[in-house]
Amino acid sequence: MENKIKNTGTATVNIGDKSYDLPIYSGSLGAPAIDVRALHKASGHFTFDPGYTSTCSTESQITFIDGNKGQLLYRGYGIEELAEKSTFLEVAYLLIHGELPNKAQNISFTNTITNHTMLHDQVESFFHGFRRDAHPMAMMTGTVGALSGFYHDDAHTTENEARDMAIHRLIAKIPTIAARAYKYSIGQPTVYPRNDLSYAENFLNMCFSVPAEPYHISPTIARAMDKIFILHADHEQNASTSTVRLAGSSGANPYACIAAGIACLWGPSHGGANEACLNMLQEIGTVDRIPEFIARAKDKSDPFRLMGFGHRVYKNFDPRSRVMQKVAHEVLDELDLKNPILDVAKELEKIALEDEYFVEKKLYPNVDFYSGIVLSALGFPTSMFTVLFALARTVGWISQWNEMLEDPSQRIGRPRQLYTGATERSYIPMDKR
Ligand code: SDX
């Protein structure tokens, strides 16, 4: 990766009777940034930004989000257009390499991924160490991390070939692990990957086919699955991507880094929101109970939040939510399903978007608001929703990890702190306490 930031000005920080000039850098899109790397050495001061609300942790050329415009670009291409016209593996190639693949590149990349979908047979024993009722995200975190014990040659991330192998193995095996976790949790036998199926078809087959009878894969459902993967593929420096980058900055094994990302995504404020959102919609149950929950979401004394609403970056609509709403209709129509929860979700969205609390705080439905409805209609239990998010986001995580390793300015991530603990004091013997 070639650094492309441009110096476009100077910020002056006045501390006491001293002034410090800091360069302002701009990228190709988005807000400029003040480079504070020299601040502590020059002034003895840190910057303070818990939650990183005003901090760029890196330069990146992969994904751009304009929260005010509700815009999401993967390597410059709009998410709406990619969801409509591209495929998940084509998007994976784009995120990793920076350009859409030509026909030969697409065939070669697809064949490479297809031919790495199987797991080492000893991985099977990891699943049998879990209780059947273990959350599938626990199985994902443990099993993906365990892959670092199988692929020692991929650990040498300084060699491009080893890095490419790790990238391909992770994209290829994550659906097999996700499907295996699901089958294990419902007590059904493993369904092995098939090389004659597309990425989405293969995943649906590994999840829903059984040895006892043929399984028909609906092209509409497979296309919907592929679109859902595209929508979740990457999203700039979100919490789980930042976790992967921080773990990778120490040179940790790529499988261990992705396991760290899976662990972070699991949280209900992040990737776990799709599961929490459907549970919330089911708790609301009917349209007439919506005002009660809107009131709770606005009540500061009540920890309840509208799951699937709000976003650190999007202060306008989340473009993924709109595509996901369309996918919800496509899937429910294809399956001829009437889901009253979809009616509750649409009415909740309408009421919330007209409520001054949500308008004032710029809270809009995010990617998780409709995804639970779609995934539930596809036949997945709520415990699998974040697993599917992790499956798709593995492409983004590994693309960002790869970019970090190629960034000439990359260093180990090591934030500092504003310490407010005890000042130095002497040890007190036990009989004096
Ligand atoms: C994802 O970062 C990413 O890109 C993430 C993601 C990705 O693709 O990687 O987009 C995926 O994580 C989507 C978000 C899924 N999470 C949820 O749906 C959980 C519900 N949403 C919230 O918890 C919250 O909106 C966050 C966590 C998403 C954002 O939190 P912020 O940016 O720290 O915002 P905040 O908590 O400071 O909220 C600002 C205000 C607060 O009120 P005040 O303190 O200003 O009075 O808005 C309120 C909050 O109380 N608020 C909500 C709310 N979300 C924020 N009030 C009610 N319901 C909500 N959902």
Side-chain angles (χ1 to χ4, degrees):
M1 166 187 161
E2 179 202 343
N3 292 132
K4 293 184 178 173
I5 47 181
K6 300 181 292 296
N7 188 327
T8 53
T10 303
T12 302
V13 175
N14 298 312
I15 302 173
D17 57 358
K18 291 191 176 157
S19 295
Y20 303 89
D21 288 341
L22 300 170
I24 294 175
Y25 290 138
S26 295
S28 49
L29 291 171
I34 300 168
D35 181 350
V36 294
R37 282 175 286 188
L39 182 65
H40 180 248
K41 194 173 178 186
S43 72
H45 285 65
F46 292 135
T47 58
F48 186 62
D49 185 15
Y52 310 121
T53 52
S54 300
T55 293
C56 294
S57 58
T58 184
E59 173 186 354
S60 179
Q61 295 160 15
I62 298 177
T63 293
F64 176 73
I65 303 170
D66 183 322
N68 293 321
K69 286 202 300 196
Q71 182 184 47
L72 169 56
L73 306 177
Y74 288 168
R75 298 285 190 177
Y77 295 96
I79 191 67
E80 301 88 342
E81 201 176 10
L82 289 172
E84 206 44 51
K85 299 175 183 172
S86 187
T87 65
F88 180 65
L89 280 189
E90 189 177 77
V91 165
Y93 185 98
L94 172 67
L95 290 171
I96 295 163
H97 298 288
E99 297 298 337
L100 287 166
N102 61 32
K103 194 171 172 58
Q105 289 163 334
N106 200 40
I107 290 168
S108 167
F109 183 72
T110 301
N111 288 341
T112 300
I113 298 302
T114 301
N115 290 303
H116 282 282
T117 49
M118 282 182 68
L119 295 171
H120 188 295
D121 217 33
Q122 280 180 238
V123 174
E124 184 65 20
S125 54
F126 286 109
F127 290 101
H128 291 281
F130 290 104
R131 286 172 32 152
R132 290 282 177 175
D133 63 352
H135 195 293
M137 280 298 279
M139 296 189 223
M140 290 283 283
T141 308
T143 306
V144 172
L147 289 184
S148 49
F150 286 80
Y151 301 114
H152 306 289
D153 50 347
D154 298 359
H156 304 301
T157 51
T158 46
E159 289 114 45
N160 288 345
E161 201 175 313
R163 284 216 316 259
D164 287 349
M165 182 55 79
I167 291 168
H168 295 149
R169 278 174 167 151
L170 276 157
I171 295 173
K173 296 181 193 306
I174 202 82
T176 311
I177 292 169
R180 184 72 198 92
Y182 172 56
K183 285 298 202 187
Y184 183 78
S185 68
I186 59 174
Q188 286 190 359
T190 304
V191 175
Y192 286 92
R194 277 178 39 188
N195 292 354
D196 61 320
L197 299 177
S198 73
Y199 196 86
E201 289 170 341
N202 196 26
F203 178 65
L204 289 168
N205 187 59
M206 289 190 287
C207 286
F208 297 125
S209 74
V210 289
E213 59 187 25
Y215 171 67
H216 167 68
I217 302 171
S218 149
T220 306
I221 298 302
R223 181 74 192 113
M225 189 82 262
D226 203 67
K227 278 185 188 177
I228 292 168
F229 289 159
I230 291 172
L231 293 174
H232 288 84
D234 194 50
H235 212 239
E236 198 211 69
Q237 304 310 319
N238 58 83
S240 53
T241 298
S242 299
T243 300
V244 171
R245 277 182 172 259
L246 196 56
S249 73
S250 73
N253 178 292
Y255 302 92
C257 294
I258 298 301
I262 295 171
C264 178
L265 186 75
W266 194 0
S269 287
H270 189 13
N274 49 21
E275 178 176 351
C277 181
L278 189 72
N279 292 339
M280 174 193 74
L281 291 170
Q282 286 166 338
E283 186 188 354
I284 294 173
T286 52
V287 169
D288 62 322
R289 291 195 65 205
I290 289 175
E292 170 197 335
F293 284 82
I294 294 271
R296 283 187 58 196
K298 292 157 65 173
D299 177 357
K300 283 293 161 221
S301 64
D302 187 335
F304 173 78
R305 283 193 165 183
L306 278 189
M307 301 317 282
F309 258 78
H311 200 276
R312 173 63 58 79
V313 178
Y314 289 121
K315 299 309 171 192
N316 194 328
F317 64 93
D318 179 338
R320 302 169 295 177
S321 168
R322 291 192 170 175
V323 179
M324 193 66 81
Q325 190 191 58
K326 266 178 63 184
V327 172
H329 282 292
E330 288 165 8
V331 168
L332 292 172
D333 292 349
E334 169 73 8
L335 299 173
D336 194 21
L337 287 176
K338 291 280 172 273
N339 186 340
I341 297 294
L342 181 59
D343 299 335
V344 172
K346 285 167 69 177
E347 186 61 20
L348 173 61
E349 177 181 14
K350 182 173 170 295
I351 295 173
L353 295 184
E354 290 163 0
D355 182 290
E356 80 281 350
Y357 173 90
F358 292 88
V359 172
E360 182 246 324
K361 293 188 186 300
K362 299 183 178 178
L363 302 173
Y364 293 84
N366 56 49
V367 68
D368 295 305
F369 189 65
Y370 285 102
S371 60
I373 293 166
V374 187
L375 298 177
S376 178
L378 291 174
F380 293 104
T382 51
S383 61
M384 279 295 288
F385 291 178
T386 312
V387 170
L388 298 181
F389 196 151
L391 186 165
R393 187 53 60 86
T394 294
V395 161
W397 288 331
I398 204 66
S399 303
Q400 298 268 354
W401 168 85
N402 191 48
E403 181 182 66
M404 178 197 64
L405 292 178
E406 291 178 341
D407 183 343
S409 65
Q410 189 266 328
R411 306 172 67 189
I412 188 168
R414 206 295 189 195
R416 300 302 302 274
Q417 61 180 9
L418 198 54
Y419 177 72
T420 56
T423 53
E424 190 168 10
R425 51 187 173 165
S426 301
Y427 182 79
I428 303 167
M430 183 67 82
D431 59 0
K432 295 269 187 275
R433 289 176 205 164

